[in-house]
Amino acid sequence: MADAEKTDAAVSLKGLRKTFGEVRAVDDLTLNIAPGEVVALLGPNAAGKTTTMEMLLGLTTPDSGEIELFGRSPRRAAADGLVGAMLQSGGFLGEMTSREIVQVMAAQYPKAMKVDDAIARAGVTKYAKLKYSGLSGGQKQRTRFAAALVCDPDLLVLDEPTVAMDVQSRQEFWAAMRDYTTAGRTVVFATHYLAEAQDFADRVVLMRHGKIVADGSVDAVVAKVDGRTIRATVEGASVELLNALPGVGTAQLRGEQAELHCSDSDAALRALLADHPRARDISVTAMSLEDAFVALTADEPVMEEV
Amino acid sequence: MGTLIWTELKVLSRSVEFLVVTIAFPMVFFLVMSEVFGSYRAGGLDMGTYMMISMAAFGAMSVAFAVGPRVGLERQAGWNRQLRLTPLPGWGYVAVKIAVAMILTLPAVLLVFLSGLLVKGIELTAGQWLAIVLSCWISSLPFAVLGLLIGMAVKPESAQPLGLAVYLPMAMLGGLWMPVDILPGFMASLAKALPSYWLAEITRDRLTGVALDLLGVGVMAAWFLVALTLVIGLYRRDAARV
């Protein structure tokens, strides 16, 4: 049945494009997210993460492309109470208290959770009666989380949810999120904290210049970049020769310090030692998500697809 | 929508300045002005009653022009974007804004009438009081939308001055501060195109037994509809832009 196929994905983005003036914010982006997936959108500033989120929420109209949430339009999904969101641009009135904010949000939905429950889950209880304008950055973020949560959504969209939080708040925030996602809910979040993506996401989508450059589990994304880095002190080497070694993706040389990003570090190391038997101080390290992030989102890509 | 209206009223009621300046000011203005023009008669009414209705109309306008432009602050904060993520439809948001302005208009109007009754000793039948309250209140609908229009049209910093630039001339030319009869002829005819003039005029007609002036109803309906159309257009522009 066509309908069943349609509703399969929690989020379905097809060929999305959005241009602001001369800038292509999102460029032919296609992405499917299954129900229950927790997806981190990563990328440097201006990679198109926020624009993508705003389009999937129906707040920004794409120049072209299709968006479906649970098989319906973003506006329909919102009207059906399926979507909760914490936006960077969405704000609350400073004169309202946290509780009033959550209350107003709750009142818009037919099947919202209890206001006090949402407030407790987000850890807002202690300052629920304070005016929003008087709260700290982290407290504001938690209030926004409570407001996003109160409709008991199937899909949560979070744009840099922990941006103003201290370490402890961040841990509490993700603990609350874990509670929430164990019930099989779908989460899409953007973050600059790669550790959050590593710890929390089932799947990482890396964006650059409005396009997806890597998509998969953290391990898969890390593996997409040449697997390991060899560092060594090599006398009389040249970048060209190092680059030509088997298994080497890219090589950098600073003085005698060579840094080789390798897809096959074993082959590269053997070849390196054959060419430069006097190479010393050798270390071989695994790539972290951060290395992969830098490699995949650098403006001049360190590694081009061959 | 009820919760949203209620919360907005709660938030506004926490602002003492707002309550005093916006809601009580027309009453004060009435008490002063009625002393100034005390002995005249205008439009078949004694000056006290005449001014009372003018000032109630002025009060209704003041509230609408104080409440509506606040939507600019909400647009700046991103509150309306947040609400757009909820099932609340666009028309619901606009309706909430108009409802809040209308609800707050009522106490301003009532205060003026109450001070007319208690301080100025103006005697009307219960039916007359009810008629002028309803007439004044319902006729303030175009202003609730106009105030909102200002908040939707310009940045919050400009909303206040623009509001004043619309509302003060409208009050004056509409004959709310002094009877239109003592204005020069061309101004008097201009007044008939203004909703402020008709707001007071139609309400006064409730006391002099004049039938409902269809020209007045038409003028006010036209202002209401044009303003509402613009508000809806601007809401859509907001929704489409970012």
Side-chain angles (χ1 to χ4, degrees):
Chain A
M1 218 166 81
D3 267 6
E5 192 190 338
K6 263 184 153 182
T7 48
D8 248 342
V11 177
S12 160
L13 310 176
K14 242 180 268 162
L16 281 195
R17 283 175 205 275
K18 181 71 185 181
T19 311
F20 294 110
E22 295 289 291
V23 183
R24 266 196 210 153
V26 172
D27 190 4
D28 195 17
L29 182 129
T30 296
L31 179 65
N32 279 291
I33 297 172
E37 271 191 304
V38 178
V39 178
L41 270 187
L42 302 177
N45 291 330
K49 306 183 297 286
T50 297
T51 307
T52 302
M53 289 188 154
E54 292 189 341
M55 286 195 291
L56 86 82
L57 291 169
L59 289 175
T60 298
T61 319
D63 298 337
S64 63
E66 283 171 39
I67 307 167
E68 278 188 357
L69 307 180
F70 303 104
R72 47 203 110 175
S73 73
R75 186 60 222 164
R76 184 74 246 159
D80 292 343
L82 299 176
V83 189
M86 262 174 95
L87 295 171
Q88 287 189 63
S89 60
F92 298 115
L93 296 179
E95 294 148 325
M96 286 165 79
T97 66
S98 292
R99 191 161 204 292
E100 283 167 349
I101 287 168
V102 179
Q103 226 163 12
V104 166
M105 297 303 283
Q108 309 310 320
Y109 297 92
K111 293 177 296 178
M113 65 170 86
K114 284 204 185 105
V115 170
D116 289 324
D117 283 356
I119 283 178
R121 279 193 183 200
V124 178
T125 312
K126 264 184 277 174
Y127 44 87
K129 288 190 174 146
L130 299 183
K131 282 188 188 175
Y132 186 71
S133 57
L135 301 179
S136 74
Q139 291 171 330
K140 280 184 181 161
Q141 283 296 90
R142 290 204 211 186
T143 301
R144 300 166 126 198
F145 182 48
L149 207 59
V150 75
C151 67
D152 203 5
D154 292 328
L155 170 67
L156 257 181
V157 179
L158 312 165
D159 196 358
E160 297 190 32
T162 59
V163 74
M165 294 185 187
D166 59 25
V167 177
Q168 200 198 334
S169 304
R170 233 182 281 160
Q171 280 169 354
E172 286 168 11
F173 174 85
W174 288 114
M177 282 296 296
R178 266 203 191 90
D179 278 355
Y180 192 73
T181 51
T182 45
R185 247 85 51 128
T186 313
V187 180
V188 181
F189 68 101
T191 184
H192 281 299
Y193 300 106
L194 298 179
E196 291 183 342
Q198 202 144 19
D199 293 348
F200 190 70
D202 305 327
R203 178 176 164 197
V204 173
V205 172
L206 212 60
M207 291 183 69
R208 184 176 69 102
H209 296 328
K211 291 181 193 273
I212 294 175
V213 290
D215 178 358
S217 66
V218 171
D219 291 343
V221 168
V222 170
K224 186 172 163 125
V225 189
D226 11 12
R228 300 199 179 177
T229 304
I230 299 174
R231 290 186 183 82
T233 308
V234 187
E235 285 169 30
S238 77
V239 179
E240 292 72 30
L241 286 175
L242 292 176
N243 257 325
L245 293 176
V248 172
T250 54
Q252 288 171 338
L253 191 64
R254 286 188 198 87
E256 296 182 341
Q257 299 299 315
E259 194 174 303
L260 312 176
H261 297 280
C262 308
S263 51
D264 183 348
S265 54
D266 295 338
L269 188 55
R270 277 187 211 105
L272 176 72
L273 287 170
D275 285 4
H276 303 277
R278 298 179 60 195
R280 56 196 152 83
D281 303 334
I282 298 168
S283 73
V284 181
T285 50
M287 281 276 192
S288 64
L289 180 58
E290 190 159 340
D291 294 326
F293 178 90
V294 171
L296 289 168
T297 62
D299 254 345
E300 285 301 316
V302 175
M303 189 200 78
E304 283 289 6
E305 287 290 349
V306 260
Chain B
M1 273 164 54
T3 311
L4 190 51
I5 293 174
W6 178 241
T7 308
E8 292 205 8
L9 291 175
K10 256 203 303 194
V11 165
L12 281 171
S13 70
R14 282 201 286 259
S15 163
V16 178
E17 308 91 291
F18 175 81
L19 291 180
V20 171
V21 173
T22 313
I23 295 186
F25 180 67
M27 176 190 73
V28 176
F29 215 48
F30 160 60
L31 293 174
V32 173
M33 295 288 268
S34 60
E35 289 300 317
V36 176
F37 291 100
S39 55
Y40 293 85
R41 278 187 75 82
L45 291 171
D46 68 274
M47 203 61 197
T49 311
Y50 187 96
M51 285 308 294
M52 176 176 76
I53 289 175
S54 291
M55 284 303 118
F58 177 60
M61 270 181 77
S62 307
V63 173
F65 277 91
V67 174
R70 290 173 52 88
V71 77
L73 298 171
E74 300 190 3
R75 288 166 65 227
Q76 195 174 47
W79 176 229
N80 54 343
R81 276 168 81 74
Q82 198 71 45
L83 287 173
R84 268 171 46 212
L85 292 172
T86 72
L88 180 72
W91 64 262
Y93 180 73
V94 172
V96 163
K97 296 286 136 196
I98 295 172
V100 168
M102 289 302 286
I103 291 169
L104 288 167
T105 299
L106 199 53
V109 169
L110 287 175
L111 272 181
V112 173
F113 288 158
L114 212 59
S115 63
L117 173 70
L118 299 177
V119 182
K120 291 284 147 189
I122 291 168
E123 284 177 21
L124 300 174
T125 65
Q128 284 177 316
W129 283 117
L130 185 66
I132 59 174
V133 168
L134 285 180
S135 165
C136 199
W137 190 48
I138 294 169
S139 307
S140 62
L141 198 52
F143 297 97
V145 187
L146 276 172
L148 183 56
L149 175 59
I150 288 170
M152 295 292 287
V154 296
K155 295 202 181 86
E157 318 71 281
S158 333
Q160 191 97 33
L162 179 63
L164 281 178
V166 174
Y167 134 90
L168 291 179
M170 231 183 215
M172 201 198 69
L173 296 174
L176 299 186
W177 292 341
M178 58 205 87
V180 168
D181 312 346
I182 65 175
L183 294 176
F186 76 95
M187 282 195 182
S189 20
L190 180 63
K192 299 208 162 137
L194 295 177
S196 45
Y197 171 78
W198 290 108
L199 166 59
E201 194 63 17
I202 285 181
T203 305
R204 276 191 287 264
D205 288 349
R206 299 308 97 226
L207 298 181
T208 50
V210 178
L212 195 61
D213 194 316
L214 291 181
L215 173 64
V217 174
V219 167
M220 285 201 290
W223 278 86
F224 171 75
L225 289 175
V226 169
L228 188 62
T229 308
L230 291 173
V231 163
I232 292 170
L234 289 171
Y235 180 86
R236 294 214 173 116
R237 180 198 68 177
D238 266 9
R241 189 169 48 187
V242 259

